[in-house]
Each structure stands twice: as C-alpha cells, then as structure tokens.
Amino acid sequence: MFVVREDIIISINRGDAKAFEQLYSTYYVYLCAVATKYVYRTDAAQEIVNDVFLNVWNNHETLIHPVNAYLIRSVQNRCLNYLRQQRIQEVSLSEVQESLLNIRESQVEIESQPLAKLENKEFEEKIYVAVNKLPPKCRDIFTQYLYYDKSYDEIAKANNITTSTVRVQIKIGLSKLKELLEDIYPLFLLVFNFIQK
C-alpha cells in the first residue's frame, strides 16, 4: 500500500483540496477492499469509505502523519456501526442472519479473517466428520446441497422426492450440525455462505 508523504498531510491541514484529492485517490480502493471484507456489499463499503473521507476533510486541521492506521481504524469502526444498524433495521432476522451479523461484528472487533479458516485442515476435518454423522438420507441430501451447490429443485429431481422434503432435510441437517459444531457453527454458516443460498 502507498504511503502519503508528510508534506501532503500538512497541505491538507491548511485546507488544500488538491492534496486531499491525492490522499483520496491513494487510499480509496484499498479502504473499499477493507470495508468489503467486513460488510460484504460493495455499495455499502463505498459509502462507508466516502463517509470516512468526508469526516477527514471536515476535520482536516487535525489530521496527522502517518494516516494509514487512522484511516483503516476509521473504516473498521464505521463498518461496525453499519452492522449494528443492520441489526436494528432488520427486525425479522432469522437465526442464521443473526449468527452472521454476530460473527461479522467480531471480525471487525478482533481484526481477524474467518475465511482464512478454509485453509485450516482441522476446521475442514470437523465439518467433514460432523456431516458424516448426519442420518444417511439427510447426509446424502445435505452433501449435494453443501458440496455440490445444487438447488432444492435439482436435488429433488435427482432423488425423485419433493422440494419440501429437501427443505426439511436441509433444516434437519443444519439443526444437527449446530449441535455437533457448537461454537464453530456460525463460522461454518459464514464460510459456506448459507445466508445467500
């Protein structure tokens, strides 16, 4: 990541708009990437980053060099506020959505990246073992859904069953996995993107 020189920051302190534009163009894309990691929506990430820069300009006299850590922390804090606001607005959150919001908040607070757990063999092994403990019919349907990314309709046709049967089996699978995986269950939901399936 590029670092803006101290003389640029001093110029911004004096209200130099061109110096501010240089700061903006240097960090904008990077900060959008940081925000997207937490809020998972490009439009929300861009809005958060623009809000941060607006705040920087409104308080340009107080900006100090180096700015990297300050800008990143500002974006992270706004991401956390955004996630909390989402919880207030979406009153009818399902259990899965609630779990995702909780884990996204904790991501911001502890600055970790849960998706890196995908590289963790121990994590993968726990998922594999848990799925294999499901009842045979449930395991078969859940495996098609989880690992082969098939829709309810596709699974129903392939197994000559109704879509509602598939839905019930997936629900049973998730319920059993919640018991088996315990504290890593929300992480499992996030990694396998259940919220959007």
Side-chain angles (χ1 to χ4, degrees), residues 3 5 14 19 21 24 34 40 52 57 60 75 77 101 108 115 131 134 143 164 176 197:
V3 178
R5 298 190 317 270
R14 294 174 183 151
E21 281 173 27
Y24 182 90
V34 170
Y40 302 96
V52 165
W57 179 248
H60 60 267
V75 167
N77 287 339
L101 280 176
V108 178
L115 292 182
V131 169
L134 297 176
T143 300
S164 59
K176 296 266 187 195
K197 284 195 176 188

Side-chain angles (χ1 to χ4, degrees), residues 31-41 44-49 52 71-86 101 104-105 107-109:
L31 292 174
C32 281
V34 170
T36 304
K37 183 179 74 174
Y38 297 125
V39 300
Y40 302 96
R41 283 185 47 204
Q46 289 172 334
E47 192 175 336
I48 285 166
V49 172
V52 165
L71 290 174
I72 292 167
R73 174 50 62 192
S74 298
V75 167
Q76 288 171 328
N77 287 339
R78 283 186 185 262
C79 286
L80 187 54
N81 291 339
Y82 170 84
L83 293 171
R84 286 175 177 154
Q85 192 59 36
Q86 286 290 99
L101 280 176
R104 287 176 188 175
E105 277 193 14
Q107 271 182 269
V108 178
E109 287 168 344

